[in-house]
Amino acid sequence: QGLLELSGIPYVGCGVLAGAVSMDKLYTKQIVKQLGIRQAEYVPVLYDELDDMAEVTARVEAKLSYPVFVKPSNAGSSCGVTKVHAREELAAALMCAAEFDRKILVEETIVGRELECAVLGGCKPEASGVGEIIAADEFYSFDAKYKNENSTAKIPADLDEDQTEKIKKLAIKAFKAVDARGLSRVDFFVDRISKNIYLNEINTMPGFTTISMYPQLFEKCGIPYSELIDKLINLALEELDA
């Protein structure tokens, strides 16, 4: 994005700031926290701290209960993500995440549904309906996303109108908070018991094939694939002229 802006070339999607902070899960959490949006509890761990694994383990266990998720702060497609069920698995999971980034997140497990909402626009963004990921695995891992044909998406998700509207409003709120523009897919969890909504992450360059969640969500809103592409290109041109 920075190179394109310096070159005066219009491009589709978020700018440097939104792309950077949304790619970094730790910084996304810090920004979202200021908005009062509920998110999973977490413990940040730096690569240099892994020399004292006992101290890191104690810090994690003081705040979180197993199972927990261990993930690199900067990575995509669930690469380097491990679900840890007991203390004995924690060290290996931390070292796995450290192969992808020097910043690591250890998060509480939210037992619930995985929901996604697409956002489109500039200063006045609009949100799509809400879709649900049905993972064919214990969680939506890399293999579950790309190798297991039993993982499916349900559009629209089976939610009441109040929950759907809450998620759409939260998606737009998060989109604006990171100074996003163009497109983003905002991912949530909904606790199966409490029904509380948790923001998971903001994906500023979501998959965009005809079978990807982002275009499918807007297709259900009456914006076909080709029209969606036109809208995004026009937004990019407007940004250049601004």
Side-chain angles (χ1 to χ4, degrees):
Q1 291 102 320
L3 178 60
L4 291 169
E5 288 182 13
L6 287 171
S7 304
I9 299 172
Y11 61 92
V12 167
C14 293
V16 175
L17 176 64
V21 298
S22 299
M23 187 68 187
D24 193 309
K25 296 177 179 63
L26 176 59
Y27 282 94
T28 301
K29 282 184 173 294
Q30 291 176 355
I31 290 172
V32 168
K33 183 179 181 180
Q34 307 307 313
L35 301 176
I37 297 176
R38 188 181 281 109
Q39 55 188 331
E41 293 293 331
Y42 68 98
V43 175
V45 179
L46 299 178
Y47 178 78
D48 293 346
E49 297 173 335
L50 298 182
D51 290 337
D52 190 349
M53 196 64 75
E55 189 280 331
V56 171
T57 300
R59 184 150 44 95
V60 168
E61 293 180 346
K63 187 170 184 179
L64 306 175
S65 300
Y66 296 105
V68 296
F69 279 96
V70 178
K71 57 182 68 172
S73 188
N74 283 276
S77 298
S78 298
C79 294
V81 177
T82 306
K83 187 174 184 179
V84 174
H85 302 84
R87 176 186 295 180
E88 294 74 24
E89 301 171 8
L90 183 60
L94 288 164
M95 296 308 296
C96 175
E99 294 179 11
F100 294 86
D101 191 26
R102 68 179 185 84
K103 297 195 299 295
I104 303 163
L105 287 178
V106 183
E107 287 186 344
E108 71 169 320
T109 297
I110 305 297
V111 180
R113 303 163 67 185
E114 187 163 349
L115 303 167
E116 299 183 347
C117 182
V119 182
L120 168 72
C123 58
K124 295 181 179 179
E126 60 181 303
S128 69
V130 179
E132 180 171 7
I133 297 296
I134 313 295
D137 207 336
E138 191 173 9
F139 70 98
Y140 205 31
S141 63
F142 181 91
D143 285 350
K145 287 178 178 177
Y146 302 111
K147 297 181 180 180
N148 194 327
E149 294 180 356
N150 293 321
S151 291
T152 59
K154 185 175 182 181
I155 306 173
D158 185 15
L159 296 169
D160 61 44
E161 186 176 345
D162 181 60
Q163 275 189 312
T164 298
E165 288 304 311
K166 282 181 180 178
I167 289 172
K168 290 171 66 172
K169 288 178 181 178
L170 288 172
I172 291 175
K173 194 173 184 180
F175 184 86
K176 288 181 174 180
V178 298
D179 194 31
R181 66 172 189 260
L183 76 166
S184 289
R185 194 194 68 235
V186 188
D187 300 346
F188 298 88
F189 295 117
V190 173
D191 188 284
R192 290 192 183 278
I193 297 174
S194 68
K195 307 302 181 185
N196 287 333
I197 300 167
Y198 296 80
L199 187 140
N200 181 28
E201 64 179 358
I202 305 167
N203 189 324
T204 58
M205 189 51 72
F208 209 90
T209 70
T210 54
I211 61 170
S212 297
M213 181 68 98
Y214 185 93
Q216 285 195 78
L217 284 166
F218 274 112
E219 183 92 36
K220 288 290 184 179
C221 295
I223 303 176
Y225 190 74
S226 59
E227 184 180 333
L228 185 59
I229 291 172
D230 286 343
K231 284 179 176 289
L232 288 166
I233 292 171
N234 287 332
L235 283 168
L237 294 172
E238 288 171 10
E239 186 67 27
L240 184 67
D241 293 336

